Amino acid sequence: MSQNKEDKTHSQIQTLLNEGKLYESISLIKAALNNKTNPKLLDRLNRLEDTYRYMIHYLVEGYSDSGREDMLSDIKGELHLINDLVLRDSLLPSSEDVYSSTLRFENIRKASLEGRLSEYKNAFARSSLAEAAGGNREMERETENALSSVFSYVWTMFGANANDYRTLTEYVISDQSPFSFKAQIISALFLGNMKYFDPDALSALIDIYEADLSDKISARALVAIFLIVAIHGERIKSDKKIKSRLTLWQDDLMIYTRLREVLINFMKARDTERINKKMQNELLPEIMKLRPEIINKLKNASEEMDMERLEENPEWEEILNKNGVGDKLKELTEIQLEGGDVMMMAFSNLKNFPFFNTVSNWFLPFSSNHSEVTTDTGDNLYFVQNYKKNLVPPYFFCKFAMCKVAHATHQAY
């Protein structure tokens, strides 16, 4: 089947499931699976079909069954899962997207979650010992690479067994796990759910949030849950287990307050494009007009002059007030105080750095101990100098809106 046909079949099955037409859905999924070599998935589907037939038989015979609705919900959810797995496996050999490329690599390596977690745990232990002895950059890089490998596995583990998710949750909740590990696992679970809805992954995120860890972790988990519910609302409505867990939140005033804060911060994050246009179309052109005068002033400035105090000079204030530049700067300052991101345009081009070729680095919390900022040479010098001047935002490495909103949310806790 071509990709368009596979997508069309997937959508058709999804529609039938949403309409409650399970028998037709099973038939279409089975037809799609007959063209594939996935006996485990076909056996899984056959068992579901047998369960559904028995349930219908007992219904026709008039037997009462208090658990019928729950069983029907489970079957429907499992069929959705199999439908998504069929689509993923169909697209995997030829798809050029980053998710499929990462999954192909994971399949080649044949790694297990326990293996990846063990590699990270050992690397982190060695790095911690080396840090206590004065630090070792190679061991730090080894830990970073191990964490990136765990991220890739978790991101593409859709369809894994429930035990893997429980193991992962235990690692995140553990007091021995560092913040960077917890944050990356939450991000990987979220990113995987953006591609394919995974109730086990969402349950893991709920478990992490309800474990009541640090504000930073709970904020990140809550933002991930918020986005998943927004993206997969219809699927969650039909999943009784997830729905019942989230329903328990409605009477919790603290969760309500936090969710409100998440929503407000997402609204602020959506304003970033307008702020960027304002800077690019209104502020920067006016500053460029003043460029010759600024350069001339800098040439005449004393070498001993403190450059950080130039803004206190009345002459510079007069220059900046020309063409309304001073007023525009004040307006942007007010926007920043209200929570607007006025730094995105300045840092947006950094996505072209090789550092961001690795997907996990887009979600990585900033750390001054990261190997990318511990070397005061080359491109790294930019990171170090701006970090020391407090110009790097806390979510600097994390270029995704999720991280910015999570940061703003936990600040408001």
Side-chain angles (χ1 to χ4, degrees), residues 21-22 53 63 88 133 205 270 298 342 369 391 396:
K21 299 176 181 178
L22 303 192
R53 281 177 175 170
Y63 291 101
R88 187 184 73 163
L205 286 169
R270 288 180 62 86
L298 288 173
V342 301
N369 294 323
L391 294 179
F396 177 66

Side-chain angles (χ1 to χ4, degrees), residues 158-281:
F158 172 64
N161 62 65
N163 288 331
D164 279 353
Y165 288 98
R166 280 193 289 270
T167 299
L168 197 60
T169 303
E170 288 171 3
Y171 266 80
V172 174
I173 294 175
S174 170
D175 293 335
Q176 298 178 351
S177 300
F179 168 68
S180 58
F181 174 84
K182 299 173 189 283
Q184 286 294 74
I185 296 304
I186 290 170
S187 299
L189 288 170
F190 159 71
L191 193 61
N193 244 302
M194 280 190 68
K195 188 72 174 177
Y196 300 104
F197 175 65
D198 190 339
D200 287 329
L202 180 54
S203 293
L205 286 169
I206 295 173
D207 289 337
I208 292 168
Y209 175 77
E210 292 182 344
D212 196 22
L213 305 175
S214 68
D215 286 348
K216 287 184 179 181
I217 294 301
S218 63
R220 188 174 286 244
L222 188 62
V223 170
I225 294 166
F226 180 93
L227 283 170
I228 292 168
V229 171
I231 295 168
H232 300 294
E234 291 302 317
R235 292 283 293 274
I236 291 170
K237 283 180 185 177
S238 62
D239 191 309
K240 285 203 165 188
K241 292 179 181 177
I242 297 293
K243 188 177 177 181
S244 63
R245 291 194 69 180
L246 295 178
T247 301
L248 294 174
W249 288 9
Q250 64 185 2
D251 296 324
D252 192 314
L253 182 59
M254 184 182 70
I255 293 179
Y256 170 80
T257 304
R258 289 179 172 182
L259 284 170
R260 181 175 178 275
E261 193 66 36
V262 170
L263 180 59
I264 290 172
N265 282 301
F266 263 113
M267 292 170 66
K268 290 178 181 178
R270 288 180 62 86
D271 199 38
T272 302
E273 186 176 352
R274 182 186 69 84
I275 295 171
N276 287 348
K277 287 181 178 179
K278 190 174 189 66
M279 292 182 69
Q280 191 167 5
N281 300 331

Side-chain angles (χ1 to χ4, degrees), residues 339-362:
D341 188 356
V342 301
M343 302 177 74
M344 177 53 73
M345 194 180 79
F347 290 106
S348 61
N349 290 330
L350 295 179
K351 63 186 178 183
N352 298 319
F353 276 53
F355 177 79
F356 290 111
N357 290 341
T358 302
V359 174
S360 60
N361 289 343
W362 285 72

